[in-house]
Amino acid sequence: MNRTIEVNLTHAEGAIVRTLGLIERRGFVVHGVETASDPHGGALVLRVEVGSRGRPFDVLVRQILRLFDVRNAFLVEPQAGQRLVC
Amino acid sequence: MKGAEALLEALRDRGVDTVFGYPGGAIMPLYDALLGSGIRHVLVRHEQAAAFAADGYARVSGRPGVCIATSGPGATNLVTGIANAFLDSVPLIAITGQVATPLMGTDAFQEVDIFGITLPIVKHSYVVRHIEDLPRIVHEAWDIAASGRPGPVLIDLPKNIAAGEAHGARRVHEPRPTPARAEAALLDSAAAMIDAAERPVVYAGGGIGIGRAVQAFRDFVAQTGIPVVSTLKGLGAIPTDDPAFLGMLGMHGSRAANTAVQQSDLLVVVGARFDDRATGKLDGFAPGARVIHLDIDPAEIDKLRRVELALAGDLSCSLAALAQQRPRIGAWRRHCQSLKTEHVQRYDAPGEGVFAPELLRRLSVAAQGEATLTCDVGQHQMWVAQHCLIRRPERHLTSGGLGAMGYGLPAAIGAQLADPARTTIAVSGDGSIMINIQELATLKRYGLPVKVLLIDNQSLGMVRQWQELFFERRFSEVDLSDNPDFAAVARSFGIDALTLDEKGQMDEAVDALLNHPGPLFVHCRIDPAANVWPLVPPGHTNATMLEGSTQ
């Protein structure tokens, strides 16, 4: 099962690697990533398509929220046919 | 002011008076600034010991410990200690030297990407790119390490940043918010679940001690009367001789604790994380129990077991709110007491040799549970957990999550420095002691009155036990019968030592461990075939417990 998680990050050194690394280390598969910069607040928006073999996505989101550079993170409501590009 | 001086000033602002470390090339500017800084530096003999000592210091003092190493091998030698702090939620600030910023990324001498290496095992980390950021980074790191669920923070300090002049160093740092409280409606629901329970058990974890929630926890237990089991790190949340305490649960837990949990209809899980060593086969753990999970860390909720009710937030607040409940569980409490009576530990091992569980029990009782015990990892670690009188979580320092052999001696150094008046005893094994035995030199140098009790079975005992039980007695690389004469080794470091071989010598050894002035090394030889019982075999539920002949 795949879901998309949107993560709002402070644009700090290591923030992207830390977030993607956590997702993989927690046993999820990164199928795709999109990034966008927030021109106003020094933030970075990361949309990650994540696969799981049974581990709960809501727990993963809370684990991401523990990261100091993460301002917000949430599961995107699924939409048919949507897929992120690596 | 130089960058290194700014860093030390920020540490002093946070009340730091003791740090642990080992110098080297890239960190030299910081060591230069340490002279006359007013901060005591404890020179260990391996960087891993610096991290473990800082960890021990933090667990006892309740404040972040600070360790320092140079770049490259110095930094990588810290990694085990950082991982240990991460897995056991210990506040730690690790400061590593780094090559100068123009050289970073060029494979320079003693350059490693310690920031990248440690990403999975830190709560947060920094590479300092601008001198002016140093005060903010130090204060921020401190708050991150100490707040919420504590953990290690790495500050990688390039040499030119440490040596450079800071002009107008700015401190722009917003303190982190205080821990959230669980919602009132959820607390009401939890209270109703407790009132309705017929067979409740409290499952106490390391978060109680770390979160400084011991008194609130004890009040909750005393007022509700619910029987308590604990994880390895939860030991001491209530005194282990408290009538309500059924023992440690899990792989080497007591039969009373495991049986009560398996029979329970409600688990009140406090600051614990359903670790596999505690739960056994997860899908058979407490099969009839509903679960209320109290934790400061919302990410622990539902991670391994879906719970009926989560109280994410400050433990003391939640426990205080629930302490008014009075479940009617008299019959259940009597049943739990009968489990304790039925499965009481026995210490009447045959023969004239030393039975390690008996020695450890006698030692901790003689100390009235007031000594700080640090452990290494293996059979002796489990015997300490099973048999010692432990009255406070911060009196029992053990590498719980990482299971790092070599932790005990340096952790004792940190513990002793954090609480100089308290007797501190490092209990070790003959495998573990060799991992960081060089720290006997640190004991000698600083005259620390740490006592070392080495339980020597001439083997890697826990591995040997598993090979005996689960690998058809095919013993592979566990024989340590060529150990050195440990007492002689200790004496060569200038530390008094004695050897203990027979049961009849135990009282003398206990007296020496508690009363000898200065450091002491006690080498205790035990039966190499001794095993830790009971044992839940891997892949089984906690309902399946093996017992051995020594019981």
Side-chain angles (χ1 to χ4, degrees):
Chain A
M1 182 184 180
N2 290 359
R3 292 292 301 270
T4 299
I5 298 175
E6 184 166 314
V7 186
N8 196 305
L9 293 167
T10 300
H11 202 163
E13 184 165 0
I16 296 173
V17 178
R18 203 188 299 271
T19 305
L20 295 177
L22 180 147
I23 292 169
E24 292 196 328
R25 284 190 306 278
R26 290 294 182 180
F28 295 82
V29 179
V30 174
H31 290 299
V33 179
E34 283 180 356
T35 62
S37 294
D38 169 11
H40 305 296
L44 194 68
V45 177
L46 198 63
R47 286 170 66 90
V48 191
E49 187 179 341
V50 177
S52 168
R53 293 189 185 92
R55 294 198 177 182
F57 289 103
D58 59 330
V59 175
L60 176 62
V61 169
R62 291 199 293 274
Q63 289 167 334
I64 292 171
L65 284 166
R66 287 197 306 198
L67 299 177
F68 184 72
D69 291 329
V70 171
R71 297 176 175 185
N72 195 12
F74 55 89
L75 283 167
V76 177
E77 289 302 316
Q79 294 176 16
Q82 183 186 37
R83 185 166 179 82
L84 301 178
V85 181
C86 287
Chain B
M1 177 181 286
K2 292 183 176 170
E5 293 166 337
L7 183 148
L8 294 176
E9 183 179 83
L11 288 178
R12 274 197 311 269
D13 286 348
R14 289 304 182 126
V16 173
D17 59 9
T18 304
V19 298
F20 304 87
Y22 200 96
I27 198 69
M28 286 179 70
L30 186 62
Y31 274 82
D32 185 64
L34 270 169
L35 294 171
S37 68
I39 293 177
R40 172 174 54 175
H41 178 271
V42 177
L43 178 69
V44 294
R45 300 304 174 94
H46 188 292
E47 292 87 349
Q48 184 184 103
F52 284 156
D55 174 308
Y57 186 92
R59 293 194 205 208
V60 169
S61 70
R63 303 169 61 249
V66 180
C67 58
I68 302 171
T70 193
S71 64
T76 55
N77 280 344
L78 287 181
V79 168
T80 301
I82 295 171
N84 193 65
F86 183 74
L87 283 167
D88 280 355
S89 306
V90 177
L92 186 80
I93 307 286
I95 299 167
T96 50
Q98 184 53 278
V99 301
T101 49
L103 289 175
M104 288 174 66
T106 69
D107 304 321
F109 177 65
Q110 291 192 330
E111 182 195 4
V112 296
D113 174 15
I114 194 64
F115 179 86
I117 287 169
T118 55
L119 274 176
I121 54 168
V122 293
K123 195 171 173 188
H124 194 58
S125 48
Y126 301 87
V127 178
V128 186
R129 300 285 183 177
H130 307 285
I131 300 171
E132 291 73 18
D133 289 338
L134 265 168
R136 173 187 61 81
I137 285 173
V138 172
H139 286 285
E140 203 168 83
W142 187 275
D143 283 343
I144 293 169
S147 64
R149 180 179 183 172
V153 177
L154 176 93
I155 300 174
D156 198 27
L157 180 65
K159 190 171 186 178
N160 58 321
I161 299 294
E165 286 292 334
H167 300 290
R170 58 183 182 273
R171 176 180 169 180
V172 182
H173 164 63
E174 293 178 7
R176 308 210 85 191
T178 54
R181 295 178 176 216
E183 293 174 25
L186 294 175
L187 288 165
D188 290 344
S189 298
M193 288 172 69
I194 290 171
D195 270 347
E198 296 177 354
R199 301 183 305 281
V201 170
V202 175
Y203 163 6
I208 297 166
I210 292 165
R212 302 287 150 176
V214 171
Q215 192 55 53
F217 179 75
R218 292 180 177 187
D219 292 344
F220 169 76
V221 170
Q223 294 182 52
T224 61
I226 302 176
V228 178
V229 303
S230 95
T231 65
L232 176 64
K233 282 194 63 224
L235 290 169
I238 63 170
T240 54
D241 60 352
D242 188 297
F245 184 64
L246 303 180
M248 185 170 73
L249 82 166
M251 180 171 278
H252 288 295
S254 74
R255 191 173 282 274
N258 281 338
T259 303
V261 169
Q262 292 300 102
Q263 294 176 346
S264 66
D265 67 351
L266 177 70
L267 277 185
V268 182
V269 183
V270 186
R273 58 186 176 88
F274 295 92
D275 173 75
D276 57 280
R277 284 295 190 270
T279 64
K281 189 180 178 192
L282 189 61
D283 59 13
F285 177 67
R290 305 173 79 197
V291 176
I292 302 171
H293 192 174
L294 291 73
D295 207 290
I296 189 69
D297 182 0
E300 286 300 336
I301 306 297
D302 291 337
K303 185 180 79 175
L304 288 164
R305 171 151 175 164
R306 285 280 171 182
V307 302
E308 278 67 28
L309 187 70
L311 298 175
D314 181 74
L315 290 183
S316 293
C317 295
S318 296
L319 289 165
L322 297 174
Q324 309 309 316
Q325 307 318 121
R326 300 288 183 275
R328 288 182 289 277
I329 54 171
W332 170 243
R333 290 174 63 181
R334 286 191 293 279
H335 172 67
C336 289
Q337 287 305 312
S338 71
L339 288 173
K340 275 181 80 171
T341 306
E342 185 181 348
H343 301 292
V344 68
Q345 297 283 357
R346 294 180 59 181
Y347 297 97
D348 53 348
E352 293 307 309
V354 175
F355 184 45
E358 183 183 12
L359 172 64
L360 292 165
R361 185 180 64 93
R362 278 199 202 186
L363 175 63
S364 64
V365 169
Q368 300 180 312
E370 293 300 325
T372 299
L373 299 175
T374 72
C375 298
D376 270 303
V377 170
Q379 289 181 312
H380 71 276
Q381 179 190 31
M382 292 299 104
W383 284 325
V384 167
Q386 292 174 327
H387 303 287
C388 283
L389 171 60
I390 299 167
R391 292 199 185 281
R392 299 276 311 180
E394 65 271 21
R395 306 273 183 270
H396 175 236
L397 277 54
T398 195
S399 175
L402 190 64
M405 294 168 67
Y407 173 77
L409 176 54
I413 291 170
Q416 185 76 78
L417 286 162
D419 193 352
R422 189 172 298 281
T423 300
T424 301
I425 303 169
V427 182
S428 188
D430 52 314
S432 290
I433 193 68
M434 292 290 262
I435 305 285
N436 275 316
I437 198 166
Q438 76 285 343
E439 297 312 317
L440 292 176
T442 309
L443 292 190
K444 177 64 178 173
R445 170 180 284 245
Y446 296 97
L448 298 173
V450 169
K451 309 300 186 289
V452 180
L453 172 57
L454 171 62
I455 308 286
D456 177 7
N457 58 5
Q458 299 183 50
S459 68
L460 296 172
M462 188 61 89
V463 183
R464 184 202 52 71
Q465 177 173 343
W466 277 54
Q467 289 176 349
E468 176 188 331
L469 297 174
F470 309 121
F471 289 84
E472 299 171 326
R473 301 180 62 83
R474 289 164 53 82
F475 297 114
S476 177
E477 299 299 328
V478 293
D479 174 56
L480 298 180
S481 58
D482 55 353
N483 275 327
D485 178 343
F486 284 111
V489 170
R491 291 188 192 104
S492 75
F493 280 98
I495 292 173
D496 293 341
L498 59 90
T499 299
L500 169 63
D501 287 307
E502 297 175 1
K503 215 177 251 185
Q505 301 170 303
M506 282 200 296
D507 287 341
E508 181 188 351
V510 167
D511 180 65
L513 284 163
L514 297 180
N515 297 310
H516 182 83
L520 178 71
F521 192 102
V522 174
H523 177 207
C524 174
R525 296 193 185 99
I526 66 165
D527 178 1
N531 283 337
V532 180
W533 305 112
L535 165 67
V536 176
H540 288 73
T541 73
N542 287 347
T544 305
M545 302 190 77
L546 303 180
E547 297 278 0
S549 59
T550 55
Q551 297 248 314

